[in-house]
Each structure stands twice: as structure tokens, then as C-alpha cells.
Amino acid sequence: MTREQEQVHVATLTTPQRESWADRRERRRALRTLQARAAAPHTPGDAPSRAPTRNATTRYLPRSGEPGPAALRSPVGLRVPRHQDTSATWGSAYPFLADAGPDAGGVFVGQMLPSGSSFVYDPWELYARGHITAPNVLIAGILGVGKSALAKSLYLRSLAFGRRVYVPCDPKGEHSVVAEAVGGRAIALGPGMSARLNPLDEGYRPASVPDDVWAGQVQTRRRTLLGALAETVLDRPLSPVEHTAIDVALAAADRVAGGAPVLPQVVDHLLAPHRDDDPDGRLVEDGRSVAHAVRRLVAGDLSGMFDGPSTVRFDPSLPMLSLDLSRVGESSTAMSVLMTCSSAWMEAALSDPDGGQRWVVYDEAWRLMSQPALLRRMDAQWRLARYYGIANLFVVHKLSDLDNVGDSGSAARAIATSLLALAETRIIYRQETDQLGATAAALGLTATERARLPMLGLGQALWRIRERAVLVQHQLHDVEARLYDSTQRMRAKT
């Protein structure tokens, strides 16, 4: 510990509330009465006294404590001389103030508030040492407290350790500037944009997957994607006959395309199935609703983004890849469709167990949780995080967002709640007072930890790593502060 890091600890002693004269007189009178009864001779004929028998030598302290020097208090503040010592001595003398932090290496995050010592974090290091069993991370806090800045610092500083970063959904475009600054790529999707993705592409193929296995995986992923798109637009689960219509149309489009089919071909086969595929003409009626739902991506308000061959390529060797969806607007359905397509496009690289250690960042995660299909996809990735070597970073405003997913007792609510259980690192920034109860109950916080949440300042957070709690002040370099700044428009002069 350097001289600049040494702290002066001053303990201020307060004076207890003095006992009033009337209370003191009453206490002494009761004591004399008890002493007199104890000293009086007792005969067998005496009636039993209803007063409780007590030891005459027993003394009871007043509620406000013992007055005088015995209280070990002083009406003036106690002044302790300035003192300094090594970190080892501080750790033993003040164990509740000087915490050594997690016993693992990692990237520098900031300083622990009580002790001022450095705090480092790395989910892969903690998992390797047995401190955690799930590498997923949850960040929660109100607007403007530094959630996004912390998320960017965690994955940006991890690049030096060989990790890569995927952002499958960036609703505000905050991660695009970071991706370009580190030599990655930000793909902007939206109406009128030049980039186009074919969600039915084969995607990135791991080198260890055989041809027959890869063909089955691609077909399953395409079938799952089309079903998820239809469910998102229709806002309901698909019936068995509608799933059959999707399977038949996808197989027919695959035969015609001779390679990667595109969505217009699938829509054509849904609206007009081949006679050999639908001899009795019932399949066209069963799949009509699904056909018009998928058609929205071809000829509706989402046309031009997913209705042709891809103009961009997924490069898993880049240090960072972000899908910028900030041009979509506030249409929840359009955003959900875009997130479904972009997540499927990136899923092949995520499922490669030889892809190395990667961060997968879900910013504004409440948008994803509102769609059952996306929620199921997230749940699968979180459960397989250890197998794939990925750490999912989940950013929300408040934990009560999980209670807004689906109806009470529904499968969607259960999946959303399970995401919290699959994240053993919970980083809680300042919470509003009306959210303290739900936050404390969901995370099992103590009364002291709960009381600290409304008083946390900018960049200060309570880190819960399994059962261990640490208060940390996040620190930014000047370059990072300029790179992460998302409030320039608020400070711009008119």
C-alpha cells in the first residue's frame, strides 16, 4: 500500500441519552423494595407474594445505557492519532474494512470502496479456480449510473487476454463506436441501410463438424428460425399443422435454390405449395397465416433487410462484432424480428466449442425477454455457456423487469427467472426505493446491503459473486471515458 492509498480512520463517540431524575428515583425505589422483601423473614403461614422473586444483588441497566465514565462514551469526538501500516496488518486489524477481493486474476475494474485496494474480475479465471459454476453476469441499475460503461470496460479490457466480443443486439448503437475502435466491425441494420442479412445462410461452420451432421444442424436452425419469426409476428405459438407447412416450404425452397434459400422463396412455397407436396390442397390453408407473417420481411415494412443474399459476412476472427439495430425505431415487433434474425445469424459461431472464450453482450435485455422465442434462445445459450466457453453479459434496469415477462406461473416467467439463477455474478447499481424489496428478495441481500443500494454514487455498485459481496467503484481511463460517453447530446451547446 502506497502512502497515497493509506487512510486515516477516525472513530467519533457519541453521548447516550441521559436518564431523567424521575426515572432514576423510580429505579432506586424499586431496588430498595426488592432488597427489603429479600431481607424480611419468611414464615410458612405467610401468604405467597404475587411479586416476582429476584436476586437482591441483580442490577438492571437503564435503557439508554450506563451513565458516566462506565458508558465508555464521550460528549466530544474521540481523536485518534494518524497511523499507517502494511496491507497485511490492515487486513488483520480491520477485516471488515480491508477486503482482498476475489482470489483470482482478471481485468482491472476499479477500487473496493472500504479499503481502496484494487478489484479485478474475470469469469473464466473464477470458474477455473472453482469460485463460480456459471460464468454469466447480470448488471442492473437505474439510468445514468454507469451500467453500460462497466459492460464495455469488462469486454474491452478482456481483448488483451485473447477474448472476443459478440453483441447480437445493440438497440441504441452504443457498442458500434467501440467495435470500430478495436478493429472489429459494427453491422448497421434497418430500413434503407445497405447491409442485408440472409437469416437462412449456413453461417460459420466449425472445422470439427462432419458434413452430414452439419447439414442436419443447418436444417434444424432454419426451421427453428422460421417458426420463431412467425410466432413473433403472429404473437402466438404455432399449431402442429403450421409447423408442417414451414417444414414442407423450407424443403421445397432448398431444392429450388440449390444452396442457401432466401425468404421470398419460402413465402412463395407457403402461399402456393407444389402439387406433390400438397395433393389435397389443405396445406395451403393451414400455412396461410404463417405465410403472411413471414411475408412481412419480404414485402412489408421490414423489406430490404432479410429478403435476399447476404451482403456482409460473419468473420469470427474479428476481436468484436456488433449488430447495430438503432435505425429500426420504436416498433417492438420490428425490433423483435430483427433480433430474432440477427441472433440466428450469429448463433453458428457461438455454438462452436473451439471458438475460444467470448463475451456475448445483451444490452437493453428487457426487449429480448418480451419475446418467447428469443427468451428460449437465450436460455439455451446460458445453459450451454460453460460448454461453448462463453460468458453472457445481461444488462437490465431493474430486476422487476423479470416479473413483466409472461403471465404469473407461465413458462416464459419461469425461463426469465432461471436466467437470474444461471448468473452467479450479480452487479447491482443504485436502485429506486420502491425496487429495494424485490431486488433484495431476488438476490438474497442482507439488510445492510439493501440499505446501501439507494446511496450508491455514480459508478459504484454492489458486486455479489455467489455468496460474497463487495462494494466497488468503477474507474475509467480518459480514453475510455470519451469512447463510452453516451450523453454528448445532453451537454451540447445550442
Side-chain angles (χ1 to χ4, degrees), residues 8-299:
V8 178
H9 294 267
V10 178
T12 302
L13 304 183
T14 59
T15 305
Q17 182 180 1
R18 292 187 177 275
E19 187 179 21
S20 65
W21 177 83
D23 291 341
R24 189 183 306 111
R25 183 181 61 181
E26 184 65 26
R27 178 171 58 84
R28 292 175 178 175
R29 179 183 300 171
L31 181 60
R32 288 196 298 268
T33 302
L34 290 175
Q35 291 174 347
R37 289 178 179 177
H42 177 71
T43 60
D46 293 341
S49 176
R50 295 185 180 181
T53 59
R54 301 181 183 179
N55 190 348
T57 61
T58 302
R59 294 187 59 194
Y60 297 92
L61 294 176
R63 181 176 302 177
S64 59
E66 184 73 22
L72 297 178
R73 304 182 187 182
S74 172
V76 296
L78 177 64
R79 299 184 179 276
V80 179
R82 187 184 300 265
H83 57 287
Q84 63 185 31
D85 215 314
T86 63
S87 299
T89 302
W90 279 96
S92 60
Y94 298 95
F96 51 90
L97 291 178
D99 192 342
D103 184 20
V107 299
F108 174 77
V109 176
Q111 287 185 324
M112 290 185 289
L113 289 179
S115 64
S117 58
S118 299
F119 180 82
V120 298
Y121 177 79
D122 186 280
W124 293 277
E125 286 287 336
L126 291 173
Y127 180 80
R129 301 196 182 194
H131 296 307
I132 59 175
T133 59
N136 305 310
V137 181
L138 168 72
I139 302 178
I142 63 176
L143 289 172
V145 294
K147 302 187 304 296
S148 296
L150 175 64
K152 295 169 186 175
S153 293
L154 286 177
Y155 69 68
L156 181 62
R157 298 172 185 180
S158 298
L159 296 178
F161 294 86
R163 281 67 184 260
R164 291 191 294 275
V165 183
Y166 298 155
V167 185
C169 172
D170 185 8
K172 296 184 293 185
E174 291 186 6
H175 301 271
S176 298
V177 61
V178 183
E180 295 172 355
V182 299
R185 185 172 186 182
I187 301 175
L189 300 175
M193 305 298 296
S194 58
R196 183 167 57 187
L197 297 180
N198 179 16
L200 301 181
D201 276 342
E202 290 188 357
Y204 172 75
R205 176 179 177 175
S208 59
V209 179
D211 293 342
D212 54 343
V213 176
W214 175 246
Q217 291 180 356
V218 171
Q219 194 67 13
T220 300
R221 187 163 59 248
R222 290 171 176 171
R223 188 184 299 113
T224 303
L225 171 64
L226 288 174
L229 289 175
E231 288 182 354
T232 301
V233 178
L234 295 175
D235 196 21
R236 63 170 176 82
L238 298 183
S239 63
V241 293
E242 290 173 331
H243 280 291
T244 301
I246 289 177
D247 294 342
V248 173
L250 183 59
D254 199 6
R255 292 194 303 267
V256 173
V262 292
L263 289 179
Q265 296 172 336
V266 177
V267 173
D268 292 341
H269 287 284
L270 282 171
L271 293 174
H274 194 273
R275 187 170 299 177
D276 295 338
D277 297 329
D278 187 21
D280 56 0
R282 298 186 60 180
L283 192 61
V284 63
E285 295 298 329
D286 295 336
R288 186 170 298 277
S289 297
V290 175
H292 288 286
V294 181
R295 183 181 178 276
R296 181 175 179 180
L297 282 78
V298 176

Side-chain angles (χ1 to χ4, degrees), residues 446-485:
T446 64
T448 303
E449 293 168 350
R450 169 178 171 171
R452 289 299 299 269
L453 294 183
M455 299 183 294
L456 295 176
L458 180 63
Q460 298 176 356
L462 173 67
W463 286 62
R464 285 293 299 268
I465 304 176
R466 295 192 73 173
E467 300 301 327
R468 188 171 188 173
V470 183
L471 286 173
V472 179
Q473 172 69 60
H474 178 213
Q475 293 182 337
L476 292 175
H477 189 272
D478 293 341
V479 177
E480 290 180 313
R482 292 191 297 269
L483 188 64
Y484 303 161
D485 189 8

